[in-house]
C-alpha cells in the first residue's frame, strides 16, 4: 500500500479510529491492532511475502529469549549467527542471488570456459532490506547485553512489522522503538498535530517535488545519448531533488504517521543539501542507515582507531557495503566507492567532523565560504547520483563523459519549456522552505509556533500545491526497490 494512494487515505483513518476509540484502554489490543494493520498494509502489495516477515519475527524472538537464558559465550555466538544467517540468508537469496550468479558466469567465461547458469525469476520482497536490518539490531543488542530480551511476542511482532516504517524506514533500533510498545499510550493532540504537519510536508516533497522532477529525469536519462552536456547536468541536478523529495518525503510521512499513534521515530534526514562537506552530508542523509552501519559494522571493524591504512580500509568497506545494500548492481557499488573517495581527504586531514552544527545557525543567510562549500558538496553529490540512477556502469560513464564535454556550456535542450519553468519555480520554493526551516526537525516544523492565521494559511497553500501539481497516477517510492 502506497502512502500517496486512495487505499492508504481510507486505511489510515480506520486504523486510527479503532486504535484510539475502540482499543484505547487495552495496550495489548492496541499492539495487536498494529500487528494486524501492519500485515494488511504489507499484504496489500503481496500477501505471499508476509510469511518472510513472520518467519524472521519468530526466529529473532526465540533467539532473543534463548540469549537471555544462555551464559556460555560459545552458545551465545551460535545463537547470534543463527539469526544473522537466517536474516541475511533471505536477503541474499531474494536480492543478490542473480547478481552473484551472473558475475560468476561472466568471470568463469572470461577464462575461456563459458558456462550457462539459470537465474531465478522472483520478485524482490518490498522492504526486505529495511526490516531485516531492524530485526537484526534487536538480536545484536540482546547479544551485546544492551537490551533485555522481550517475552511479549505481540509487542515484538509490532516492532518488526510497524506499518509506518516497515517498507522504507527509518530503520529503527530496538532500544528506541521496542520499549515504546510496552508503555500505555494516551492521545496527545500536540504530537498528533505535529505528525499531521510532517505528513503534509512529506506529501509535498513526494507529490510536488519528486514526481515532477521525475518527468524530466526519466526523459533525460533514458535518452542521454541525444542530449548535450548542460542538459545532462540538469538531469543529474533534477534527480538529486527527485531522490531527496521521494525518500525524505517517505520518511516524513512515516514519522508523522507514527506520531498519530503516539510513537516517536528517529529523524532520517536533516537538510543534507545544505552540507558543507561530504562528511556532513552523510551525517544528514539516511541517518538511520548510516548510524546502523556505524554501530554494527564500522565500530566493530575498528572505526577510526589504528593506522591510517586501517582507517582507509574501514571507510571503503563501510561505503561499499552501504552502496551494495541499495541494490545488486555494480552502479551502487561504484556509487558507494566514489563517496568513500570523496570522504578520504577529510579523513586524512582530520577534518571530517568540522561541521557538526547546521549551517548559518541563528542567521538568515550563510557567509560566502559556506555558499561555496555547499555548492561544491552538492556538485560532487550530483556526479555520484549519476551512478545511482544509471542503468549500468557503461551508461553512467557515458553520461558523465557527456556532462564534461564542450557542450556543457551550450544552452540546455528543454522540449517542454513551460513545465520546466514550473519545476524550477517549485524547486526554488522548496529550497527556500527547507532553508528557513532548517533548524527544525523538518521544513514546516516551525509553523507550530506561528499565529493561527499564518499556520492555517500555510497549510492551505501546501494542500493547494499538492492538488495543482500532483501526478494523476500513483507513483511508487524509489526506495521500495531496496
Amino acid at each position: 500500500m502506497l502512502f500517496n494512494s486512495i487505499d492508504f487515505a481510507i486505511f489510515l483513518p480506520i486504523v486510527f479510529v479503532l486504535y484510539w476509540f475502540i482499543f484505547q484502554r487495552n495496550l495489548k489490543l492496541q499492539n495487536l491492532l498494529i500487528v494486524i494493520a501492519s500485515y494488511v498494509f504489507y499484504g496489500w502489495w503481496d500477501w505471499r511475502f508476509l510469511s518472510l516477515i513472520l518467519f524472521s519475527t519468530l526466529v529473532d524472538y526465540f533467539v532473543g529469549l534463548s540469549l537471555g537464558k544462555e551464559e556460555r559465550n560459545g552458545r551465545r555466538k551460535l545463537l547470534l549467527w543463527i539469526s544473522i544467517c537466517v536474516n541475511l540468508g533471505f536477503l541474499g537469496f531474494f536480492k543478490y542471488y542473480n547478481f552473484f550468479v551472473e558475475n560468476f558466469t561472466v568471470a568463469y567465461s572470461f577464462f575461456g570456459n563459458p558456462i550457462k547458469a539459470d537465474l531465478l525469476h522472483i520478485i524482490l520482497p518490498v522492504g526486505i532490506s529495511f526490516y531485516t536490518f531492524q530485526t537484526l539490531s534487536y538480536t545484536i543488542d540482546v547479544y551485546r547485553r544492551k537490551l533485555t530480551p522481550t517475552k511479549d511476542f505481540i509487542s515484538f511482532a509490532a516492532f518488526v512489522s510497524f506499518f509506518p516504517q516497515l517498507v522504507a524506514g527509518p530503520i529503527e533500533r530496538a532500544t528506541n522503538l521496542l520499549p515504546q510498545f510496552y508503555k500505555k499510550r494516551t492521545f496527545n493532540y500536540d504530537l498528533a498535530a505535529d505528525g499531521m504537519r510532517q505528513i503534509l510536508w512529506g506529501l509535498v516533497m513526494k507529490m510536488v517535488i519528486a514526481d515532477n522532477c521525475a518527468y524530466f529525469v526519466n526523459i533525460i536519462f533514458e535518452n542521454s545519448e541525444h542530449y548535450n552536456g548542460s542538459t545532462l547536468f540538469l538531469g543529474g541536478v533534477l534527480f538529486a531533488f527527485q531522490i531527496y523529495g521521494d525518500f525524505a518525503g517517505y520518511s516524513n510521512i512515516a514519522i508523522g504517521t507514527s506520531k498519530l499513534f503516539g510513537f516517536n521515530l528517529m529523524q532520517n534526514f536533516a537538510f543534507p543539501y545544505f552540507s558543507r562537506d561530504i562528511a556532513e552530508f552523510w551525517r544528514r542523509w539516511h541517518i538511520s542507515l548510516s548510524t546502523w552501519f556505524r554501530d554494527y559494522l564500522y565500530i566493530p571493524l575498528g572505526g577510526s582507531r589504528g593506522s591510517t591504512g586501517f582507517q582507509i580500509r574501514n571507510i571503503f568497506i563501510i561505503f561499499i557495503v552501504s552502496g551494495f545494500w541499495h541494490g545488486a548492481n555494480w552502479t551502487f557499488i561504484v556509487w558507494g566507492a566514489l563517496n568513500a573517495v570523496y570522504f578520504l581527504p577529510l579523513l586524512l586531514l582530520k577534518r571530517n567532523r568540522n561541521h557538526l552544527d547546521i549551517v548559518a545557525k541563528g542567521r538568515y543567510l550563510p557567509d560566502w565560504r559556506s555558499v561555496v562549500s555547499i555548492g561544491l558538496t552538492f556538485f560532487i553529490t550530483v556526479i555520484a547520483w549519476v551512478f545511482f540512477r544509471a542503468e549500468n556502469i557503461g551508461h553512467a560513464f557515458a553520461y558523465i563523459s557527456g556532462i564534461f564535454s564542450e557542450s556543457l556550456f551550450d544552452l540546455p535542450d528543454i522540449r517542454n519549456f513551460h513545465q520546466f519553468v514550473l519545476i524550477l519555480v517549485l524547486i526554488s520554493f522548496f529550497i527556500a522552505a527547507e532553508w528557513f526551516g532548517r533548524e527544525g526537525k523538518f521544513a514546516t516544523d516551525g509553523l507550530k509556533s506561528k499565529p493561527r492565521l499564518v499556520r492555517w494559511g500555510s497549510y492551505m497553500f501546501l494542500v493547494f500545491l499538492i492538488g495543482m501539481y500532483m501526478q494523476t497516477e500513483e507513483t511508487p517510492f524509489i526506495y521500495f526497490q531496496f
Side-chain angles (χ1 to χ4, degrees):
M1 196 180 296
L2 299 173
F3 281 160
N4 54 333
S5 67
I6 296 295
D7 299 332
F8 187 72
I10 297 170
F11 168 85
L12 183 60
I14 292 174
V15 178
F16 182 85
V17 169
L18 291 173
Y19 185 85
W20 287 120
F21 295 96
I22 306 298
F23 302 124
Q24 81 277 17
R25 293 183 179 176
N26 191 315
L27 182 62
K28 286 189 178 299
L29 288 179
Q30 277 188 325
N31 288 340
L32 181 61
L33 174 67
I34 287 177
V35 174
I36 294 169
S38 299
Y39 275 62
V40 170
F41 177 84
Y42 192 89
W44 210 261
W45 166 71
D46 194 325
W47 61 269
R48 293 170 298 175
F49 292 113
L50 288 173
S51 57
L52 287 181
I53 299 178
L54 179 60
F55 190 73
S56 288
T57 304
L58 288 168
V59 167
D60 287 301
Y61 175 73
F62 286 110
V63 165
L65 286 179
S66 302
L67 281 170
K69 299 172 186 171
E70 187 58 65
E71 293 297 329
R72 289 167 292 185
N73 286 336
R75 293 287 181 89
R76 290 178 62 80
K77 282 185 179 176
L78 176 63
L79 288 166
L80 175 65
W81 277 107
I82 288 173
S83 170
I84 292 174
C85 289
V86 168
N87 286 294
L88 294 187
F90 280 137
L91 185 63
F93 176 76
F94 284 100
K95 191 167 183 175
Y96 300 108
Y97 176 85
N98 285 346
F99 174 81
F100 283 117
V101 168
E102 283 178 339
N103 282 278
F104 177 78
T105 304
V106 170
Y108 203 80
S109 302
F110 180 77
F111 293 103
N113 297 298
I115 58 172
K116 186 177 180 182
D118 293 329
L119 299 179
L120 296 175
H121 299 286
I122 52 176
I123 305 170
L124 177 66
V126 168
I128 189 170
S129 303
F130 291 89
Y131 67 74
T132 294
F133 273 37
Q134 181 154 311
T135 188
L136 269 179
S137 80
Y138 169 79
T139 314
I140 296 171
D141 283 346
V142 170
Y143 172 78
R144 290 175 173 176
R145 302 184 196 279
K146 290 183 177 178
L147 185 69
T148 304
T150 181
K151 296 178 181 176
D152 184 345
F153 179 74
I154 297 299
S155 293
F156 184 70
F159 156 73
V160 175
S161 63
F162 191 40
F163 74 88
Q165 44 85 246
L166 172 61
V167 294
I171 303 169
E172 274 296 333
R173 307 301 173 77
T175 48
N176 176 46
L177 183 55
L178 185 56
Q180 295 185 53
F181 285 100
Y182 304 152
K183 296 177 184 173
K184 181 173 174 56
R185 298 177 288 274
T186 54
F187 183 73
N188 182 325
Y189 174 81
D190 291 336
L191 184 64
D194 198 41
M196 290 298 293
R197 236 182 332 268
Q198 194 158 3
I199 290 172
L200 181 59
W201 184 243
L203 290 172
V204 169
M205 293 182 78
K206 166 61 178 168
M207 301 171 79
V208 177
I209 302 300
D211 289 350
N212 282 289
C213 285
Y215 171 80
F216 287 101
V217 170
N218 292 339
I219 292 174
I220 294 172
F221 270 83
E222 290 167 10
N223 303 279
S224 56
E225 69 275 16
H226 302 303
Y227 286 106
N228 60 24
S230 58
T231 311
L232 295 177
F233 180 67
L234 200 56
V237 170
L238 290 175
F239 179 66
F241 282 101
Q242 181 196 351
I243 194 164
Y244 177 47
D246 194 287
F247 192 23
Y250 181 92
S251 291
N252 278 323
I253 299 169
I255 295 168
T257 304
S258 302
K259 288 176 180 175
L260 293 180
F261 294 91
F263 290 89
N264 280 302
L265 303 185
M266 68 183 298
Q267 187 178 10
N268 211 18
F269 290 85
F271 312 98
Y273 288 153
F274 299 141
S275 300
R276 289 151 288 182
D277 59 44
I278 203 67
E280 185 182 10
F281 176 82
W282 281 108
R283 282 193 293 273
R284 297 183 176 280
W285 179 275
H286 204 173
I287 298 166
S288 64
L289 180 67
S290 303
T291 53
W292 197 100
F293 277 122
R294 180 197 66 196
D295 294 344
Y296 298 115
L297 183 60
Y298 182 65
I299 292 175
L301 283 171
S304 57
R305 291 170 296 178
S307 66
T308 303
F310 205 68
Q311 293 177 39
I312 293 172
R313 184 206 68 168
N314 291 346
I315 288 298
F316 270 92
I317 288 176
I318 200 79
F319 275 107
I320 289 174
V321 171
S322 175
F324 200 41
W325 175 90
H326 284 83
N329 192 320
W330 283 101
T331 53
F332 295 113
I333 295 173
V334 173
W335 172 73
L338 185 56
N339 276 283
V341 171
Y342 289 164
F343 192 91
L344 217 50
L346 297 172
L347 176 74
L348 296 176
L349 296 172
K350 300 188 184 305
R351 301 181 64 177
N352 53 309
R353 296 187 65 79
N354 271 11
H355 302 299
L356 299 179
D357 273 345
I358 191 72
V359 62
K361 189 173 183 180
R363 290 184 283 127
Y364 283 114
L365 296 173
D367 56 41
W368 68 270
R369 285 178 183 274
S370 297
V371 172
V372 173
S373 301
I374 290 171
L376 286 174
T377 304
F378 183 72
F379 175 76
I380 62 173
T381 304
V382 167
I383 298 303
W385 282 135
V386 171
F387 286 94
F388 201 94
R389 176 60 177 81
E391 294 298 320
N392 51 54
I393 289 292
H395 182 210
F397 278 114
Y399 194 101
I400 291 173
S401 174
I403 290 178
F404 293 105
S405 65
E406 292 181 358
S407 62
L408 176 62
F409 301 102
D410 294 345
L411 286 175
D413 180 14
I414 302 299
R415 293 165 192 176
N416 190 339
F417 190 73
H418 174 76
Q419 189 161 354
F420 177 68
V421 171
L422 172 65
I423 191 62
L424 288 186
V425 171
L426 292 173
I427 288 176
S428 299
F429 158 75
F430 175 69
I431 293 172
E434 290 262 302
W435 176 261
F436 290 110
R438 70 192 185 286
E439 293 186 28
K441 294 287 186 183
F442 53 97
T444 54
D445 194 16
L447 284 177
K448 61 189 172 192
S449 59
K450 301 295 181 188
R452 180 176 296 181
L453 185 63
V454 174
R455 201 165 62 240
W456 279 96
S458 300
Y459 299 155
M460 291 301 103
F461 177 66
L462 296 178
V463 171
F464 167 78
L465 285 181
I466 294 172
M468 280 295 293
Y469 301 115
M470 63 183 284
Q471 303 293 310
T472 52
E473 296 179 356
E474 292 176 2
T475 51
F477 289 83
I478 294 174
Y479 265 66
F480 276 17
Q481 63 186 291
F482 305 139

